[in-house]
Amino acid sequence: MTISRLVVRLNCLSFFLVALLIIFTQLSGLKVSDLFFHPYFSPNPNVALLTRTFQILCSLPVIVCTFTYKLAQSIQPRTSENRFILFSAFLTGGFLLNEIYRIHIYMVAAGIPKLGVSLLYAVVLSSYGWFFRRELQLTPYQILLAGLGLLFFAIGVDSLHLKNQIFSSLLEGVPKLFSEINIAFYYWYVCKCFLQKAFYKNIESYL
């Protein structure tokens, strides 16, 4: 199965599951926007369910990249690919911390303009893309770009402050969720291929 077909099937399955969850939530008497609340205790498991799912997905690239880097260091230390995996772990780890602790909100509250915060994050992403452009070009980076595009779309919807809460939650929450589904899949696939390549090289060196 090609990587493009795998990505399409993953997104179609995820969309089907999200649609079922939305229907079930409405039938249970909750609002669709309840799925995207910030996590807090509730006797109903549907409340903030997709927000928690998004946070779990955010942790996957950090775990996968960190594990891959430590393993790769023992196989082929001091290579550019290792640095790419390491800084990918730092980048995704920073995003995870921002999502959990809402660092960008504290920055805005401290007097930093929202546009300035967005530009800061854009500079970090651009620097990552520039320094590792060669490594990225050897991967299906289109998946990563699609995930980032969905994320920025969700951020743009959030900045509009739409009055319809249900429409706003769907238009922001669903693209944000799918952005991390694609980003998590991208880093999982890249790390898998990277380790397979490293193992094969290591085996060939002993033959």
Side-chain angles (χ1 to χ4, degrees), residues 14-179:
S14 300
F15 185 81
F16 176 72
L17 292 175
V18 170
L20 282 181
L21 181 60
I22 289 173
I23 294 172
F24 176 75
T25 300
Q26 288 184 312
L27 292 176
S28 65
L30 293 173
K31 298 179 181 178
V32 174
S33 56
D34 290 339
L35 290 167
F36 301 99
F37 278 164
H38 295 301
Y40 66 91
F41 175 76
S42 172
N44 193 314
N46 278 25
V47 173
L49 178 59
L50 291 184
T51 300
R52 292 189 178 94
T53 303
F54 176 77
Q55 291 179 344
I56 292 172
L57 287 170
C58 287
S59 68
L60 292 181
V62 188
I63 297 170
V64 171
C65 289
T66 303
F67 174 80
T68 301
Y69 172 75
K70 294 300 294 183
L71 190 56
Q73 279 293 89
S74 63
I75 301 173
Q76 50 176 32
R78 295 185 296 276
T79 65
S80 60
E81 290 87 355
N82 288 11
R83 289 193 295 272
F84 169 62
I85 298 297
L86 175 62
F87 278 90
S88 296
F90 285 147
L91 181 70
T92 54
F95 182 78
L96 174 63
L97 290 175
N98 181 78
E99 176 61 26
I100 293 175
Y101 294 105
R102 317 297 290 172
I103 297 173
H104 62 286
I105 295 178
Y106 288 106
M107 292 172 70
V108 173
I112 303 175
K114 195 170 185 179
L115 179 61
V117 175
S118 300
L119 287 175
L120 175 62
Y121 289 171
V123 167
V124 172
L125 280 174
S126 300
S127 301
Y128 170 79
W130 172 258
F131 284 114
F132 297 107
R133 59 190 181 279
R134 292 180 181 177
E135 289 79 9
L136 287 167
Q137 288 173 355
L138 297 175
T139 69
Y141 63 90
Q142 296 87 349
I143 302 172
L144 180 62
L145 291 178
L148 292 174
L150 288 169
L151 179 62
F152 282 115
F153 176 82
I155 293 172
V157 171
D158 179 52
S159 64
L160 294 176
H161 302 293
L162 299 177
K163 294 181 179 180
N164 190 315
Q165 190 177 23
I166 296 177
F167 183 70
S168 175
S169 296
L170 286 173
L171 206 55
E172 177 191 352
V174 173
K176 189 176 179 181
L177 177 66
F178 275 80
S179 74

